[in-house]
Amino acid sequence: MSRGGLLSSALPDNELPLSELVAKKQIWMKSSHPSNLQVNIVFSDMDDTLLSNDKSISDKNLEVLDYLAKQGIPFVPTSGRALSLLPHEVLAHPASRYAITADGATVNDLRTEEVLYKSHVKKEDALALFELMKDLPVTFDVFSGGRAYTDNARREQMKLFRLPGHHKEFMLQSRIPYEGSPRDFIAALDDIERLGSYWSEDMDAQVRPRVEAALAEVGAFSVTSSMGVGAEILAKGTSKGTALLWLCKHLGLSVATAAAFGDADNDKEMLATAGIGVAIGNGNENVLRAARFVTYSNEESGEGRFLEWALL
């Protein structure tokens, strides 16, 4: 069915109450007609999107990945994670040919292990930001070479943070700790994909304005977030959306036939850019408004169920 048929309304979408807007974007769930959508590539966030809350992949989502592989439709994990932190089950799947990591900072060819595209943070900008933030009660994560690092002192501090849901456990497990100051660590690096800074929910009102002031003073970054407290810090102009555009152009595929799935602010530009932007039902308001469609939650295999409707 046509985009206009699914989303026609007397009011512009940006003026609708959220519940009414979501209901419009979920009309496809009740449709008995074929979707008539053409999907030539699929981009997908990982956490709280493709993955269930326990970080597993549901049988339904795996079935659809198998179908994409059989049809030769590339599946592109598109994550704020570093490459080494993507689920092995996804990286090894035959549908996965490319990966977009670090919130769009890097596009990787999974077969050749080549970096095809990068939009990375300058070392001098990272050092300037650390000097402004070094005394704040926050982490200062550094993504480099497909891995995520944090200093031991801030990793220990993170153990006391209140963070949303299951995020703290994953972050503690996924960051490679090192001794010493981030200043010295950053100075020794050849390349920086992105930075990350997180703080406790109960300190948000005090910490967020100071982090925002530091970021504004350096003025070299684009900033997004995959959860309520924290900043994912990228080179200016970098996003999952810009990386999606680059990869589609590189592969000679139309953005209009690109499907993209996400749940958080760092997915918003990607969903708005893709011709078939799909918000997971558990997504935040920004994402629900940016998407063309809304599907079931990640715990209900929302991605697999939408692609099943769209493709099968």
Side-chain angles (χ1 to χ4, degrees):
M1 60 186 68
S2 70
R3 181 171 184 167
L6 276 172
L7 300 182
S8 59
S9 172
L11 285 175
D13 284 352
N14 60 3
E15 296 181 16
L16 287 175
L18 182 62
S19 59
E20 185 177 341
L21 181 63
V22 169
K24 285 181 60 181
K25 295 182 179 187
Q26 290 181 328
I27 289 175
W28 66 271
M29 295 179 180
K30 301 177 182 179
S31 173
S32 59
H33 302 288
S35 73
N36 292 329
L37 292 174
Q38 182 182 1
V39 178
N40 287 333
I41 189 169
V42 176
F43 297 82
S44 177
D45 177 52
M46 295 288 101
D47 297 292
D48 299 325
T49 298
L50 180 74
L51 304 182
S52 302
N53 291 343
D54 64 0
K55 306 298 183 183
S56 66
I57 306 175
S58 70
D59 290 342
K60 173 65 69 180
N61 286 348
L62 279 174
E63 287 173 11
V64 173
L65 288 184
D66 292 342
Y67 180 80
L68 293 176
K70 290 177 183 177
Q71 297 301 311
I73 299 172
F75 177 78
V76 186
T78 307
S79 179
R81 296 189 188 196
L83 180 62
S84 65
L85 300 178
L86 292 178
H88 175 74
E89 201 168 11
V90 174
L91 289 176
H93 197 281
S96 299
R97 179 70 172 82
Y98 306 94
I100 293 174
T101 55
D103 284 322
T106 307
V107 179
N108 308 272
D109 186 314
L110 296 177
R111 295 182 186 172
T112 66
E113 299 184 357
E114 179 185 4
V115 173
L116 300 176
Y117 163 92
K118 62 181 182 179
S119 179
H120 290 180
V121 170
K122 294 179 180 179
K123 183 184 296 191
E124 58 267 30
D125 294 331
L127 289 169
L129 184 64
F130 174 71
E131 288 302 315
L132 295 170
M133 292 177 56
K134 63 185 178 182
D135 297 323
L136 298 180
V138 301
T139 64
F140 201 86
D141 300 341
V142 181
F143 286 57
S144 179
R147 293 176 172 80
Y149 300 88
T150 196
D151 63 291
N152 262 325
R154 287 174 178 78
R155 185 177 185 277
E156 289 301 308
Q157 187 178 40
M158 189 194 295
K159 292 179 180 179
L160 303 176
F161 287 179
R162 285 176 49 197
L163 294 173
H166 48 273
H167 288 285
K168 181 163 69 173
E169 180 181 356
F170 173 75
M171 291 171 68
L172 286 170
Q173 292 174 348
S174 63
R175 271 50 173 174
I176 300 172
Y178 63 88
E179 294 291 345
S181 167
R183 181 191 303 107
D184 298 332
F185 184 80
I186 291 167
L189 291 175
D190 294 326
D191 192 55
I192 300 167
E193 293 181 84
R194 75 164 177 90
L195 306 170
S197 183
Y198 304 91
W199 51 89
S200 186
E201 286 181 312
D202 54 344
M203 293 291 292
D204 188 55
Q206 294 83 12
V207 172
R208 183 181 297 274
R210 299 176 68 184
V211 172
E212 290 176 347
L215 290 163
E217 183 169 337
V218 179
F221 304 112
S222 289
V223 183
T224 187
S225 179
S226 57
M227 62 179 181
V229 286
E232 295 168 17
I233 302 161
L234 309 159
K236 188 176 287 293
T238 306
S239 73
K240 291 182 180 182
T242 56
L244 179 153
L245 281 171
W246 184 91
L247 185 56
C248 284
K249 183 177 180 180
H250 176 73
L251 298 176
L253 296 174
S254 170
V255 173
T257 61
F261 297 83
D263 73 294
D265 283 350
N266 63 337
D267 302 312
K268 185 174 65 172
E269 287 189 40
M270 176 175 72
L271 300 196
T273 300
I276 308 166
V278 187
I280 300 299
N282 48 280
N284 69 27
E285 180 172 352
N286 292 332
V287 169
L288 294 171
R289 289 191 177 277
R292 176 178 169 185
F293 297 96
V294 175
T295 186
Y296 300 89
S297 74
N298 65 320
E299 288 291 284
E300 300 170 293
S301 302
E303 182 166 340
R305 292 170 76 175
F306 181 89
L307 285 172
E308 187 175 60
W309 169 76
L311 297 172
L312 302 184

